[in-house]
C-alpha cells in the first residue's frame, strides 16, 4: 500500500539518468508507484541512486538445486547430464514448494539489485503429467511468491510440445511441461486476468526443438499474443545447432529469422552459438539477446560473441537462469571476464576510448532487460515504474569514488553487497540490507528444501 496520495520526493547526490550521473537529482513517486513530476521538499536517499535491474531469465525452482549437480558423474558431464539431474529434482515440486522456493529466490534477487524478473515457467502439471484441478496452479504460485516478496514479474508460461527436432513425444519426465496450442492459449488468457502494474504476461516458446513450426505460427498469429513479449531458448548448445541443421537445413537463429518476424518484442535467450550473419540479423531486428553468463559457464555452454554484437549495436540483457548465482553484479562481471579470458584483452564491453566498462554494461542490461520484460522504459524518468536501488555510500569499496568511477567499483571491486535499499513500484522492499519479510520466507524455504531432501 502507498502511504499517501501525495507524491513522495527523493533526492540523491548522484542520480543515474539515461545519459549518466546527474548531480542533485530528484525523483517523485506518485500514488500508483510510478515516477511523476516533483514538488516540495525531498528526502535524501544517499550518494548513489540508480534504476533497479530487470532479470530477464529465471526458472525459479532451480534455485533449490543450485550446488547439487557439481559432482563428477559416470559419463561425460554436460548440459544434457545436468538436465537429467534437474528433471529428477523437478519431479518433487508442486505449487506449495514452488511458491516457497520462488519467494526465497525473489528476496535474494531484490537484495542483489534486481527489481523485475521474467519467469520462463514450464512446470505446468502434476509430476505424472495430469493437470492440476486449477490448471494454472503452478503459474499462480509464482505470482503469489512475487507479490509476497515485492518483485515485479513478467510471467512467461512456456509452450513445450515435443522432445526433439524430429517431433518425438515428450518423455515421462517431460509430460508435465506439455500443452497443445489451444490449451496453451487458454492458459495465457486465464493468467492475463491477473495482470496489473507489477505483473505482465508474455509468451515463451521453450526452444525450436520443443515447438513445431505450425504451433509457433498459431501462437504468434493469435490476437491474444499480439502485444506480448516473446522469449525463446535458442542456440545454447552445439548439439542443438547440429540437430537443427540436420532436420531443418539451417542453424537455429538463421531458421528463426526465416520463419518468424523477429523484432523488438523478442528475447533470444543464450544465442551462444551464432555466426557473423546471425549476429547482424539479431542486432538489426531490435530483439534482445538474453545472456546468463554464470549459468552458461556452469553448464559449459560456450561464449557469446559479445564484441561483434556490440559493434553491430545489438541489444542485450542479463538473467540468472539456473540461479547458481543471484547477482546482476556477478552476471555482468562474468560477461566481461569470459571475453577477457578468451581474447586475452581487457575492457571488452567499452566501445570508446576511456569509456567505463561498468557503466556500459549496466546501461545496456537495463535497456535490454526492460525491453525483454515488456516495460516501456528502463530509466528513472517520468512515467517509469519507481524501481530503484540505493548503493551503500559507507562501503569502503566506494570510498573516494567519483561519478565516473563508481560503476566500475560497483561491478568489479570485491564481493561485499553494495545494494543498501531497494524500492519497487514505489514500495521499500529492502531497507538497510534487510528485506521486509526475509526471516519468514527463509524459514519456509528451509522447511520445503528439507522435505525435498528427504524424499
Ligand atoms: Zn533457461
Amino acid at each position: 500500500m502507498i502511504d499517501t496520495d501525495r507524491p513522495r520526493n527523493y533526492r540523491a547526490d548522484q542520480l543515474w539518468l539515461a545519459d549518466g550521473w546527474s548531480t542533485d537529482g530528484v525523483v517523485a513517486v506518485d500514488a500508483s508507484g510510478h515516477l511523476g513530476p516533483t514538488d516540495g521538499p525531498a528526502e535524501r536517499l544517499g550518494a548513489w541512486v540508480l534504476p533497479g535491474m530487470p532479470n530477464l531469465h529465471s526458472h525459479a525452482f532451480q534455485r533449490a538445486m543450485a550446488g547439487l549437480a557439481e559432482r563428477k558423474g559416470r559419463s561425460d558431464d554436460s548440459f544434457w547430464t545436468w538436465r537429467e539431474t534437474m528433471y529428477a529434482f523437478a519431479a518433487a515440486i508442486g505449487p506449495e514448494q514452488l511458491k516457497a522456493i520462488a519467494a526465497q529466490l525473489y528476496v535474494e534477487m531484490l537484495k542483489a539489485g534486481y527489481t523485475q524478473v521474467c519467469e520462463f515457467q514450464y512446470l505446468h502439471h502434476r509430476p505424472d503429467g495430469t493437470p492440476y484441478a486449477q490448471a494454472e496452479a503452478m503459474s499462480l504460485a509464482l505470482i503469489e511468491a512475487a507479490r509476497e516478496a515485492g518483485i515485479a514479474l513478467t510471467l512467461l508460461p512456456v509452450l513445450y510440445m515435443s522432445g526433439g527436432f524430429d517431433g518425438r513425444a515428450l518423455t515421462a519426465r517431460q509430460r508435465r511441461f506439455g500443452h497443445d496450442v489451444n490449451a496453451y492459449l487458454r492458459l495465457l488468457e486465464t493468467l492475463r486476468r491477473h495482470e496489473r502494474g507489477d505483473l505482465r504476461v508474455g509468451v515463451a516458446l521453450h526452444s525450436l526443438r520443443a515447438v513445431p513450426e505450425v504451433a509457433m505460427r498459431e501462437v504468434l498469429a493469435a490476437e491474444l499474443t499480439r502485444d506480448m513479449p516473446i522469449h525463446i531458448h535458442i542456440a545454447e548448445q552445439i548439439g542443438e545447432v547440429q540437430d537443427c541443421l540436420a532436420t531443418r537445413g539451417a542453424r537455429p537463429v538463421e531458421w528463426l529469422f526465416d520463419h518468424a518476424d523477429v523484432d523488438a518484442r523478442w528475447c533470444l535467450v543464450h544465442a551462444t552459438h551464432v555466426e557473423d550473419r546471425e549476429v547482424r540479423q539479431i542486432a538489426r531486428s531490435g530483439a534482445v539477446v538474453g545472456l546468463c553468463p554464470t549459468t552458461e559457464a556452469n553448464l559449459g555452454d560456450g561464449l557469446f560473441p559479445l564484441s561483434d554484437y556490440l559493434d553491430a549495436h545489438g541489444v542485450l540483457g542479463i538473467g540468472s537462469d539456473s540461479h547458481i548465482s543471484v547477482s546482476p553484479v556477478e552476471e555482468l562481471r562474468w560477461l566481461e571476464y569470459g571475453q577477457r579470458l578468451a581474447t586475452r584483452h581487457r575492457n571488452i564491453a567499452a566501445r570508446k576510448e576511456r569509456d567505463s566498462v561498468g557503466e556500459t554494461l549496466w546501461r545496456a542490461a537495463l535497456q535490454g532487460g526492460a525491453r525483454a520484460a515488456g516495460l516501456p522504459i528502463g530509466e528513472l524518468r517520468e512515467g517509469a515504474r519507481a524501481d530503484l536501488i540505493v548503493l551503500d555510500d559507507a562501503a569502503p569499496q566506494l570510498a573516494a569514488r567519483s561519478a565516473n568511477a563508481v560503476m566500475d567499483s560497483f561491478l568489479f571491486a570485491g564481493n561485499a553487497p553494495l545494494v543498501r535499499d531497494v524500492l519497487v513500484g514505489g514500495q521499500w522492499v529492502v531497507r538497510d540490507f534487510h528485506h521486509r519479510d526475509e526471516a519468514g520466507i527463509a524459514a519456509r524455504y528451509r522447511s520445503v528444501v528439507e522435505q525435498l531432501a528427504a524424499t
Side-chain angles (χ1 to χ4, degrees):
M1 289 296 108
I2 303 288
D3 319 325
T4 166
D5 283 347
R6 287 179 55 78
R8 288 165 293 146
N9 300 304
Y10 296 118
R11 179 166 66 76
D13 302 351
Q14 298 283 344
L15 186 69
W16 176 276
L17 301 176
D19 49 0
W21 292 109
S22 165
T23 307
D24 283 329
V26 180
V27 292
V29 180
D30 68 19
S32 74
H34 289 74
L35 298 179
T38 53
D39 72 341
E43 174 190 342
R44 179 181 178 274
L45 295 179
W48 313 103
V49 173
L50 56 159
M53 180 60 70
N55 183 336
L56 59 61
H57 194 64
S58 165
H59 308 286
F61 75 92
Q62 293 179 14
R63 172 64 188 86
M65 63 169 283
L68 295 181
E70 310 298 330
R71 297 175 68 90
K72 186 109 191 106
R74 268 174 299 189
S75 59
D76 183 22
D77 288 315
S78 70
F79 170 86
W80 308 102
T81 56
W82 169 85
R83 194 176 73 158
E84 287 308 309
T85 308
M86 184 269 284
Y87 281 178
F89 186 82
I93 294 177
E96 187 191 324
Q97 290 79 15
L98 182 60
K99 183 179 166 185
I101 294 167
Q104 171 64 22
L105 170 68
Y106 298 157
V107 167
E108 293 172 13
M109 284 187 190
L110 288 163
K111 292 173 75 171
Y114 290 120
T115 49
Q116 171 101 21
V117 58
C118 300
E119 268 296 334
F120 201 98
Q121 144 62 6
Y122 56 85
L123 293 186
H124 296 301
H125 312 306
R126 295 179 204 276
D128 67 1
T130 57
Y132 287 100
Q134 191 174 22
E136 68 279 20
M138 293 293 269
S139 292
L140 289 180
L142 292 172
I143 294 174
E144 288 166 13
R147 288 190 174 153
E148 182 180 13
I151 198 166
L153 174 65
T154 301
L155 180 61
L156 305 162
V158 173
L159 180 62
Y160 200 126
M161 297 177 71
S162 55
F165 279 102
D166 55 6
R168 76 188 81 152
L170 301 180
T171 64
R173 279 176 165 171
Q174 291 171 329
R175 271 203 285 276
R176 68 183 310 201
F177 312 157
H179 283 104
D180 62 30
V181 169
N182 286 335
Y184 178 70
L185 291 174
R186 276 200 305 279
L187 176 66
L188 290 183
E189 181 111 56
T190 306
L191 292 171
R192 203 161 209 199
R193 292 190 207 122
H194 297 267
E195 276 191 331
R196 59 180 207 198
D198 61 1
L199 174 69
R200 280 218 59 173
V201 175
V203 171
L205 308 171
H206 180 272
S207 54
L208 294 181
R209 69 174 182 274
V211 179
E213 179 183 351
V214 59
M216 179 182 85
R217 287 188 190 284
E218 281 175 37
V219 169
L220 298 180
E223 181 65 31
L224 175 69
T225 66
R226 184 160 288 183
D227 60 349
M228 289 182 173
I230 305 159
H231 289 224
I232 185 169
H233 286 136
I234 197 155
E236 180 180 7
Q237 295 291 322
I238 298 274
E240 174 194 342
V241 176
Q242 289 167 340
D243 287 352
C244 192
L245 273 167
T247 55
R248 299 192 182 180
R251 303 170 57 80
V253 169
E254 182 185 16
W255 186 92
L256 184 69
F257 275 84
D258 285 344
H259 292 84
D261 294 325
V262 180
D263 60 16
R265 284 197 300 148
W266 286 72
C267 177
L268 309 188
V269 181
H270 306 304
T272 311
H273 301 288
V274 282
E275 294 186 336
D276 292 350
R277 183 165 161 268
E278 295 169 299
V279 167
R280 290 193 300 273
Q281 276 181 312
I282 302 172
R284 254 199 319 270
S285 72
V288 180
V289 167
L291 298 167
C292 308
T294 62
T295 293
E296 288 153 9
N298 184 276
L299 296 178
D301 288 347
L303 271 181
F304 176 73
L306 178 69
S307 203
D308 293 346
Y309 186 65
L310 292 175
D311 283 344
H313 307 287
V315 181
L316 64 85
I318 50 164
S320 57
D321 193 355
S322 69
H323 313 302
I324 38 88
S325 169
V326 183
S327 159
V329 166
E330 203 179 5
E331 296 305 332
L332 293 173
R333 184 182 288 178
W334 280 99
L335 177 56
E336 171 71 20
Y337 282 172
Q339 306 291 323
R340 292 189 190 185
L341 289 165
T343 62
R344 288 171 285 166
H345 280 82
R346 301 189 70 250
N347 302 338
I348 307 295
R351 297 326 295 146
K352 298 191 299 254
E353 287 291 303
R354 308 196 61 76
D355 213 4
S356 151
V357 174
E359 284 194 25
T360 305
L361 288 173
W362 193 268
R363 181 178 292 115
L366 278 177
Q367 188 202 353
R371 185 175 293 184
L375 295 175
I377 316 173
E379 299 165 15
L380 295 177
R381 66 174 155 97
E382 277 188 43
R385 204 177 49 222
D387 296 351
L388 57 80
I389 64 179
V390 183
L391 298 187
D392 176 24
D393 42 43
Q397 298 95 311
L398 299 185
R401 291 297 185 265
S402 61
N404 62 17
V406 71
M407 291 305 286
D408 291 330
S409 295
F410 178 34
L411 293 195
F412 295 103
N415 296 305
L418 293 175
V419 176
R420 190 187 66 201
D421 309 297
V422 181
L423 186 80
V424 181
Q427 302 288 308
W428 289 110
V429 287
V430 175
R431 283 230 104 154
D432 206 16
F433 302 103
H434 290 284
H435 182 274
R436 60 188 184 191
D437 291 324
E438 64 180 47
I441 288 172
R444 200 175 68 206
Y445 172 82
R446 182 179 292 277
S447 116
V448 160
V449 173
E450 282 167 1
Q451 284 166 24
L452 289 173
T455 52

